[in-house]
Amino acid sequence: MIDQTVFREAMSHVGSAVSIITTDGKAGRAGMTVSAVCSVTDSPPTLLVCINRSSRSHDIFLRNGVLCVNVLNATHQELSGLFASKADQETRFLQAAWHRRVTGAPALEDAIVSFDCRIDSITDIGTHSVIFGAIQDIEIRHGSPALVYFRRGYHALGAS
């Protein structure tokens, strides 16, 4: 059996893009910072997001059935921290400009890319739900360095 501390230390050496996932609908509006986002397939375009089931926002995402993955640029470090904090949802959303795409989930105005998704399926593994999102719309913005998380810290990566 692998010790949790060893696993977490090993995973801190795997760099990942930082995203804020958002939802809106009958269950309300919610958003949270995540780094567990992954492409699944391009046919049909699908990604996955992992959310801890103990998160206050978890059930809101599932009840709304939609989410938007907003990949953050290097200027979003403070926003990432806010969406990872215990701040209420209204306070979180007031700190940036948002608009809606196809599903109605909030898309961050200056995200590097926003993937607007309908939740296709959910698999529970351990403490987390793995949410598979069928991508309905994509909005790409070029030129900004990405915000990545590596060895327990934020870093800027590249620019185009």
Side-chain angles (χ1 to χ4, degrees), residues 61-128:
F61 280 91
L62 272 51
R63 287 195 308 263
N64 284 342
V66 300
L67 62 87
C68 186
V69 176
N70 298 282
V71 181
L72 302 184
N73 71 48
T75 68
H76 290 135
Q77 184 173 337
E78 188 174 316
L79 189 65
S80 171
L82 179 64
F83 272 79
S85 76
K86 294 183 187 280
D88 64 81
Q89 295 294 337
E90 183 177 342
T91 299
R92 293 176 185 192
F93 281 97
L94 286 174
Q95 301 308 308
W98 305 88
H99 63 278
R100 299 192 188 279
R101 301 298 292 180
V102 174
T103 69
L108 182 61
E109 287 285 338
D110 58 349
I112 291 175
V113 62
S114 296
F115 297 95
D116 193 23
C117 305
R118 294 203 187 286
I119 296 175
D120 184 59
S121 63
I122 303 160
T123 301
D124 289 337
I125 306 251
T127 58
H128 283 64

Side-chain angles (χ1 to χ4, degrees), residues 132-153:
F132 293 88
I135 300 169
Q136 306 299 299
D137 191 29
I138 298 174
E139 187 173 16
I140 302 170
R141 292 166 205 84
H142 298 279
S144 297
L147 183 63
V148 297
Y149 198 73
F150 178 69
R151 291 191 178 161
R152 296 186 175 89

Side-chain angles (χ1 to χ4, degrees), residues 1-62:
M1 178 72 99
I2 301 295
D3 178 75
Q4 284 181 338
T5 305
V6 172
F7 177 72
R8 288 180 182 160
E9 175 62 21
M11 289 306 297
S12 78
H13 293 265
V14 177
S16 59
V18 181
S19 299
I20 292 175
I21 59 170
T22 58
T23 189
D24 202 354
K26 291 182 180 181
R29 183 173 63 170
M32 61 191 296
T33 301
V34 299
S35 59
V37 175
C38 181
S39 166
V40 175
T41 180
D42 64 359
S43 183
T46 305
L47 55 72
L48 67 79
V49 178
C50 299
I51 303 177
N52 192 312
R53 287 195 311 277
S54 68
S55 163
R56 294 177 293 155
S57 301
H58 176 273
D59 291 346
I60 297 171
F61 280 91
L62 272 51

